[in-house]
Amino acid sequence: MLMSSVIAHRGARQQAAENTLRAMTLAAEQGARWVELDVMLTADGIPVVFHDRYLDQLTNGYGELASYRFEQLQRLRVHAPIGSDDQAQPIPTLAEALQRLHALGLGLNLEIKPSTRSLWRETLQASLAVIQQSAPLPLVLSSFRHKAIAEALQLAPGIPRALLWERLPHDWKQTALKLEVRAIHLAEFALRRWQVAEIRASGFEVYVYTVNSIKRGKQLKSWGVNGVFTDHPAAFLSQPEWTTRQVRAYGEPL
Ligand code: G3P
Ligand code: MG
């Protein structure tokens, strides 16, 4: 399998400030073997781990993340989730995240999330530059911005790729074959059983976001999905059917 069957979405996001070093560490403590993180660029071109285009909801800052230099962003804190007594956390750089994940022995699904549509090339290239300077770890690149995945095929063909869609389009297979991806990542709410069957029968893996209900997870597993992105990895990992399996690191021989 490309990744493990339980992937900590933005880290252990239900317990800690999402997409932070703390959320990654907590995911590992809960037994997760893989995390999913989002990467975007600061105004001075530093790849940082963050989900929203705007800072307002997730942090004590405001406005577009892309308008902040890294030095300015460092002063902000990402809120802990509502109801948690955890502390607010800094926004990590991608380099810091990779270092922490390597130390924790975790795999990473890095979602290339350009903060504006036009920044896909810069976001991918800056991320690859950081990846190439970091210690290797099991890695999969994904994006809703398929141009970034096409560029990844050109620039770093050895890193496995996945395509993200909210809803599977009718011509999905054509795109998947063209971009030589290993997996399709789809939204839970729009997914149909026949789609999972079609994708699996075509030789691709299927991972589904964001699944926080154990009952729904069980159903998706019975449909043949390979894994789920969840905000609460501990809940899934306490269920016998969600055992995880580590795969070799990117760059390591078979
Ligand atoms: O990569 C899976 C999932 O994270 C995609 O949605 O909005 O949570 O980044 P989002
Ligand atoms: Mg994401």
Side-chain angles (χ1 to χ4, degrees):
M1 238 171 50
L2 185 61
M3 302 191 283
S4 57
S5 59
V6 176
I7 301 162
H9 183 235
R10 309 185 204 171
R13 176 182 182 230
Q14 226 163 64
Q15 282 84 30
E18 67 172 55
N19 276 323
T20 66
L21 299 179
R22 168 91 183 119
M24 297 167 212
T25 303
L26 203 59
E29 284 171 10
Q30 292 184 5
R33 307 303 302 266
W34 280 72
V35 296
E36 184 266 2
L37 304 173
D38 308 289
V39 65
M40 55 179 62
L41 293 186
T42 62
D44 48 347
I46 309 289
V48 293
V49 180
F50 197 74
H51 180 272
D52 289 3
R53 177 171 179 175
Y54 295 93
L55 293 160
D56 305 51
Q57 273 201 354
L58 292 174
T59 76
N60 56 349
Y62 60 90
E64 287 198 61
L65 179 139
S67 68
Y68 280 70
R69 294 190 314 279
F70 178 63
E71 175 209 328
Q72 298 171 301
L73 271 188
Q74 273 182 311
R75 294 184 210 127
L76 305 182
R77 291 294 176 268
V78 183
H79 304 307
I82 295 166
S84 138
D85 51 11
D86 226 48
Q87 287 186 342
Q89 302 289 322
I91 298 172
T93 62
L94 177 60
E96 289 169 335
L98 292 176
Q99 196 177 23
R100 176 64 62 95
L101 294 173
H102 179 75
L104 293 167
L106 293 180
L108 170 64
N109 172 203
L110 185 64
E111 185 189 336
I112 308 292
K113 208 161 192 87
S115 52
T116 61
R117 271 185 74 73
S118 61
L119 280 173
W120 60 270
R121 192 189 299 269
E122 291 83 347
T123 309
L124 176 81
Q125 289 184 353
S127 300
L128 286 177
V130 170
I131 288 164
Q132 277 148 11
Q133 286 158 17
S134 304
L137 74 168
L139 180 65
V140 173
L141 296 175
S142 65
S143 190
F144 287 105
R145 200 73 172 103
H146 298 166
K147 282 184 174 179
I149 296 302
E151 183 87 347
L153 170 63
Q154 296 306 315
L155 299 179
I159 303 178
R161 293 166 300 285
L163 285 168
L164 262 163
W165 276 291
E166 207 169 82
R167 291 167 194 276
L168 192 71
H170 69 277
D171 59 350
W172 71 268
K173 194 170 166 182
Q174 204 182 322
T175 313
L177 289 170
K178 193 168 119 197
L179 302 186
E180 299 177 30
V181 299
R182 296 272 305 275
I184 310 294
H185 297 179
L186 293 165
E188 176 270 329
F189 64 86
L191 190 62
R192 298 290 174 264
R193 185 179 198 142
W194 66 264
Q195 295 173 326
V196 177
E198 187 178 296
I199 297 168
R200 295 300 312 273
S202 306
F204 300 93
E205 295 192 10
V206 184
Y207 294 85
V208 183
Y209 68 92
T210 304
V211 185
N212 290 326
S213 150
I214 297 290
K215 195 172 160 206
R216 176 64 165 152
K218 219 170 236 180
Q219 184 187 45
L220 291 169
K221 202 159 212 327
S222 76
W223 289 4
V225 310
N226 296 88
V228 292
F229 300 95
T230 178
D231 298 330
H232 194 8
F236 279 78
L237 292 165
S238 66
Q239 307 290 314
E241 69 266 26
W242 293 100
T243 52
T244 59
R245 206 154 63 88
Q246 182 67 309
V247 299
R248 71 187 187 285
Y250 159 64
E252 278 183 8
L254 279 165

